[in-house]
């Protein structure tokens, strides 16, 4: 756990995609979206703390229980986490075991990194697809949580679906960059 | 395919995908979904996302990002250095007091921030130069901080313990309390070693000086006036009050663990705004960004680890492995030793969160059957995982120290932490002999289970 301390706090490397303006534009657009999502997630994080603190304060001072705070907090945090997955991936922040990468020759390592990105893209695309299906079902059937507050479940499911779709897109972009030879991550890892 | 074949294939596939370098979260998810496709009903694939959501939508688990925010807020402020300076001023007359001050500062900071690397960075950036200035050998200075930092995952609020509480279905409040006794034991062992080692180095410096050699900084007396000591308190006290306030809120029945996390996070942001003037969006944004980066990475691993465990359980792999371990009829302590050895080896490659969630379904039933208290085991397992933070090949804290004091050779840092690894082994041994060190406080505060 490294919270509060980033060993590598450098920003994501800008892709070298001078030869492909469409990819470069997609990368810039995705970076812009990721940054906006990050800002919204920051607000969600602080808001969750405020909601939980409000709950403690009202219970202590006014002896009134709030029935919505736990679920509001879960929705805010689950949303913030799934929505930020693409941003974290853009920074290569999802940790893996890199022991093999240091032992392989650069050319083999490049193939390894490409395959890893492609398989990750496939998994996240599958997860995104199933998340949209879950959202659709919750929306169509009017599903809610089982509490007395009973908020609609399409809210967190939609955030999960959008977040995982962004992640799949980010991974797809990184895979294409590997294949196009514009990322250089395979050697750097 | 037989259960054994499926289990072996599951393990082999996990190793293969993990060692390919794929991010742990995606690797676990990929293996789980692939085995669902081949060995479970087709309809189970439709429930993958619902499973992950339902596991993650636990308010206890979601306290993790808030505890991380609290740690990041305190970690990115100068609170660590102020805390260290104040303790040093008050303890400088005690023999080996500088080493003790560093251990105490690490423990207090760890309890406030809940993070090992953040503790190493915050206390080490002030403590290591000061210890070296006062004549401490570089390896010894680095060892004290690296080991002191590990207390971050043992003293409450510990993220590792939150996960263990969920995986082992144990009371989080009880686990947090159970970590305090062993935490204090480790503080005492580390501080005791610091005194002994500092006195040895002092004697060596004295002999060299008496033989006409250079005068080491060890031999120069330091003095703080009472006014200087008192001056240092106002910046530290609010954070100590935060630490006590959070504990009172949790154990006084005022707030649940997740509410405590929210309250602590907001109070930490408020305190750094008031005490250090860190309130502008551009100052707070790096704190929230690093919180979200780490929380997202961790929570995705947690979500996928839970999916991985679900598949393992549905295919009867975990039950089969647990029965196999029980059938070996190992003696109680051999069983514990084997399991702890496995945790150490896994710690070479995996972060504690994955170790807990992936192994809990396999190792906890045999341990329970052997008569071990699972709260006690959670604490012992955490101490063993603490060791992984300071010994190669991973040793995250070692690399944090290299970042804080780049001129200390890695070899010196590694040799400097080794005595502390030995002390942790000693602590585990003591906890086996005297389990009351773990269970005493929770039993006293919350009643006997």
């Amino acid at each position: 756990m490294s919270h509060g301390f980033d060993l590598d706090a450098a920003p994501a490397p800008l892709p070298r995609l001078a030869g492909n303006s469409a990819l470069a534009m997609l990368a810039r657009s995705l970076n812009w979206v990721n940054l906006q999502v990050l800002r919204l997630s920051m607000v969600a994080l602080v808001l969750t703390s405020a909601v939980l603190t409000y709950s403690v304060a009202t219970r202590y001072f006014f002896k009134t229980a709030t029935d919505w705070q736990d679920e509001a907090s879960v929705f805010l945090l689950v949303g913030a986490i799934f929505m930020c997955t693409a941003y974290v991936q853009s920074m290569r922040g999802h940790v893996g075991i890199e022991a093999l990468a240091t032992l392989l020759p650069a050319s083999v390592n490049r193939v390894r990194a490409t395959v890893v990105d492609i398989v990750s893209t496939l998994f996240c695309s599958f997860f995104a697809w199933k998340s949209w299906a879950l959202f659709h079902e919750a929306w169509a059937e009017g599903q809610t949580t089982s509490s007395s507050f009973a908020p609609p479940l399409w809210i967190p499911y939609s955030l999960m679906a959008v977040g995982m779709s962004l992640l799949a897109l980010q991974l797809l972009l990184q895979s294409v960059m590997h294949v196009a030879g514009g990322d250089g991550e395979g050697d750097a890892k | 395919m037989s259960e054994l074949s499926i289990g072996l294939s599951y393990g082999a596939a996990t190793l293969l995908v993990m060692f390919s370098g794929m991010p742990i979260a995606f690797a676990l998810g990929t293996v789980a979904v692939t085995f669902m496709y081949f060995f479970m009903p087709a309809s189970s694939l439709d429930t993958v996302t619902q499973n992950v959501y339902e596991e993650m939508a636990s308010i206890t688990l979601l306290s993790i990002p808030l505890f991380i925010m609290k740690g990041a807020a305190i970690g990115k402020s100068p609170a660590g250095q102020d805390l260290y300076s104040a303790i040093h001023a008050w303890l400088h007359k005690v023999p080996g007091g500088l080493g003790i001050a560093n251990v105490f500062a690490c423990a207090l900071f760890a309890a406030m921030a809940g993070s090992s690397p953040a503790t190493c960075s915050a206390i080490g950036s002030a403590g290591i130069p000061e210890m070296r200035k006062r004549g401490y050998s570089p390896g010894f200075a680095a060892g004290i901080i690296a080991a002191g930092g590990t207390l971050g995952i043992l003293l409450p609020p510990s993220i590792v313990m939150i996960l263990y509480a969920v995986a082992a279905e144990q009371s989080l409040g009880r686990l947090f309390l159970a970590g305090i006794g062993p935490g204090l034991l480790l503080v005492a062992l580390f501080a005791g070693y610091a005194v002994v080692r500092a006195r040895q180095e002092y004697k060596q410096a004295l002999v060299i000086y008496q033989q006409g050699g250079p005068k080491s900084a060890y031999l120069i007396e330091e003095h703080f006036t009472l006014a200087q000591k008192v001056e240092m308190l106002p910046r530290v006290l609010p954070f100590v009050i935060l630490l006590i306030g959070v504990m009172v809120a949790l154990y006084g029945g005022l707030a649940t663990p997740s509410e405590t996390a929210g309250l602590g996070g907001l109070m930490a942001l408020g305190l750094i705004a008031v005490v250090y003037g860190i309130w502008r969006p551009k100052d707070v944004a790096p704190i929230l960004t690093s919180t979200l980066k780490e929380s997202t990475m961790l929570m995705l691993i947690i979500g996928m680890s839970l999916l991985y465990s679900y598949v393992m359980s549905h295919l009867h792999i975990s039950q089969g492995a647990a029965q196999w371990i029980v059938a070996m009829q190992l003696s109680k302590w051999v069983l514990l030793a084997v399991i702890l050895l496995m945790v150490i080896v896994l710690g070479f490659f995996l972060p504690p969160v994955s170790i807990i969630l992936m192994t809990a379904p396999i190792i906890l039933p045999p341990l329970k059957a052997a008569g071990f208290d699972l709260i006690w085991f959670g604490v012992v397992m955490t101490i063993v995982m603490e060791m992984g933070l300071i010994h190669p090949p991973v040793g995250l804290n070692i690399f944090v120290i290299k970042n804080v004091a780049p001129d200390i050779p890695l070899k010196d840092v590694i040799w400097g932490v080794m005595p502390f690894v030995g002390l942790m082994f000693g602590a585990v041994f003591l906890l086996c002999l005297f389990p009351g060190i773990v269970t005493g406080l929770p039993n006293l505060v919350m009643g006997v289970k």
Side-chain angles (χ1 to χ4, degrees):
Chain A
M1 323 255 150
S2 64
H3 49 279
F5 187 86
D6 291 327
L7 278 171
D8 179 16
L14 284 172
R16 284 180 273 121
L17 293 164
N20 193 328
S21 58
L23 267 183
M25 202 175 81
L26 178 63
R28 275 198 300 275
S29 309
L30 205 51
N31 273 348
W32 184 85
V33 171
N34 283 339
L35 277 177
Q36 306 316 310
V37 165
L38 179 71
R39 286 182 182 140
L40 285 174
S41 301
M42 288 182 191
V43 175
L45 192 64
V46 177
L47 198 60
T48 309
S49 293
V51 165
L52 291 168
T53 305
Y54 170 79
S55 167
V56 178
T58 50
R59 197 169 56 235
Y60 184 73
F61 292 111
F62 307 113
K63 312 287 178 213
T64 51
T66 46
D67 61 347
W68 53 271
Q69 48 101 3
D70 272 10
E71 275 170 334
S73 305
V74 166
F75 283 15
L76 282 166
L77 283 179
V78 166
I81 283 158
F82 276 107
M83 292 296 283
C84 280
T85 50
Y87 168 76
V88 175
Q89 179 59 30
S90 75
M91 314 277 285
R92 295 277 176 188
H94 291 290
V95 295
I97 299 173
E98 297 291 344
L100 201 62
T102 56
L103 302 173
L104 294 174
S107 56
V108 181
N109 195 37
R110 190 171 182 76
V111 174
R112 178 201 62 83
T114 307
V115 172
V116 160
D117 274 357
I118 292 171
V119 177
S120 300
T121 307
L122 289 174
F123 168 70
C124 292
S125 304
F126 167 80
F127 201 98
W129 166 45
K130 289 295 175 188
S131 302
W132 282 114
L134 191 65
F135 158 70
H136 178 258
E137 196 180 299
W139 175 274
E141 294 176 8
Q143 290 175 4
T144 61
T145 67
S146 54
S147 69
S148 56
F149 176 47
L153 272 168
W154 64 261
I155 299 173
Y157 291 165
S158 64
L159 294 169
M160 183 163 75
V162 172
M164 290 307 285
S165 302
L166 280 174
L167 174 62
L169 196 58
Q170 180 70 48
L171 279 160
L172 180 67
L173 181 72
Q174 287 172 331
S175 305
V176 173
M177 281 176 350
H178 267 310
V179 175
D183 189 357
E185 282 286 331
D187 306 329
K189 265 175 153 186
Chain B
M1 270 175 100
S2 69
E3 273 179 17
L4 178 66
S5 313
I6 294 174
L8 291 174
S9 315
Y10 202 63
T14 307
L15 283 178
L16 180 74
V17 180
M18 286 271 206
F19 277 93
S20 72
M22 186 186 281
I24 294 170
F26 309 154
L28 293 172
T30 302
V31 173
V33 166
T34 307
F35 274 72
M36 279 176 126
Y37 178 76
F38 285 111
F39 300 108
M40 286 167 67
S43 59
S44 62
L45 284 173
D46 295 333
T47 62
V48 166
T49 46
Q50 195 170 3
N51 273 333
V52 172
Y53 174 77
E54 281 174 3
E55 296 286 8
M56 281 176 73
S58 135
I59 190 71
T60 308
L61 273 183
L62 286 171
S63 63
I64 290 174
L66 302 171
F67 278 127
I68 291 178
M69 182 172 79
K70 175 168 162 267
I74 296 173
K76 286 200 189 295
S77 75
Q81 295 192 7
D82 286 345
L83 180 71
Y84 163 74
S85 303
I87 297 178
H88 170 45
W90 284 91
L91 284 181
H92 77 284
K93 286 226 163 149
V94 179
L98 188 56
I100 300 176
N102 276 281
V103 174
F104 282 7
C106 280
L108 268 174
F109 193 84
M112 288 190 297
S115 158
S116 290
T119 305
C120 281
S121 173
I123 305 297
S125 56
I128 293 178
E130 185 65 26
M131 282 190 277
R132 294 176 74 187
K133 200 170 88 188
R134 307 294 309 163
Y136 282 49
S137 61
F140 175 38
I144 288 181
I145 299 296
T150 66
L151 295 166
I153 65 167
L154 181 64
L155 293 168
S158 155
I159 288 162
V160 170
M161 286 197 177
I162 295 175
L163 283 169
Y164 182 82
V166 171
E169 296 174 358
Q170 298 293 313
S171 150
L172 180 58
R174 197 172 269 279
L175 258 172
F176 273 175
L177 279 177
I180 293 176
L184 295 178
L185 172 70
L186 281 175
V187 168
L189 289 173
F190 293 168
Y193 173 75
V195 171
V196 172
R197 175 79 183 262
R199 288 176 80 93
Q200 270 177 1
E201 291 192 349
Y202 174 87
K203 280 179 192 162
Q204 283 167 359
L206 188 62
V207 170
I208 292 170
Y209 180 60
Q210 283 167 346
Q211 288 170 348
K215 186 175 183 181
S216 162
Y218 257 119
L219 308 175
I220 300 166
E221 286 240 351
E222 204 178 6
H223 184 70
F224 288 92
T225 63
L226 185 63
Q228 282 174 319
K229 288 180 190 172
V230 173
E231 241 172 45
M232 292 182 187
L233 291 180
R235 285 194 156 210
V236 176
L237 279 181
F239 292 93
V240 177
I241 291 168
L242 167 69
L243 170 68
I244 297 167
V246 163
M247 296 302 279
V248 168
L250 186 60
Y251 293 106
L254 300 178
T256 62
S258 47
E259 287 171 345
T260 308
L263 187 67
L266 208 62
M267 280 170 73
L269 286 177
L271 275 180
I272 60 167
V274 173
V275 179
Y276 298 108
I278 300 174
W279 59 269
R280 290 175 187 83
K282 72 175 172 57
D283 300 328
V284 179
I287 294 170
L288 299 178
T289 303
S290 72
T291 302
L292 283 165
K293 266 177 71 181
E294 186 171 351
S295 303
T296 302
M297 183 268 288
L298 265 179
M299 293 303 296
L300 215 57
I301 292 181
I302 292 168
M304 296 305 167
S305 296
L306 291 166
L307 177 69
Y308 180 89
S309 299
Y310 162 76
V311 173
M312 203 158 62
S313 171
H314 196 276
L315 295 174
H316 293 277
I317 299 170
S318 38
Q319 295 89 325
Q323 279 165 9
W324 177 68
I325 295 173
V326 172
M328 283 165 73
Q329 293 189 323
L330 298 171
S331 78
K332 187 177 172 180
W333 298 108
V334 172
L335 174 71
L336 180 72
V338 169
I339 285 174
L340 291 181
L341 188 68
M342 186 184 79
V343 171
I344 291 174
V345 173
L346 286 175
F348 291 169
F349 311 104
L350 291 172
V353 288
S354 300
I355 298 177
I356 291 173
L357 296 176
M358 288 167 68
T359 62
I362 296 174
I363 63 174
L364 295 183
L367 284 166
K368 201 172 178 183
F372 285 106
D373 179 325
L374 293 188
I375 294 271
W376 176 89
F377 176 73
V379 171
V380 170
M381 188 182 183
T382 305
I383 296 176
V384 169
M385 286 190 291
E386 273 185 85
M387 291 182 208
L389 291 171
I390 57 169
H391 70 63
V394 179
L396 181 60
N397 285 11
I398 292 176
F399 295 101
V400 178
I401 297 287
K402 270 301 287 173
N403 213 46
V404 172
D407 60 316
I408 303 179
L410 191 61
K411 183 170 69 95
D412 286 2
V413 180
I414 291 172
W415 279 113
V417 299
M418 282 308 154
F420 293 94
V421 175
L423 288 173
M424 286 176 169
F425 268 115
V428 169
F429 188 66
L430 282 174
L431 297 186
C432 293
L433 284 179
F434 308 105
I437 299 171
V438 177
T439 53
L441 190 59
N443 285 347
L444 184 74
V445 176
M446 301 176 78
V448 178
K449 242 195 331 177

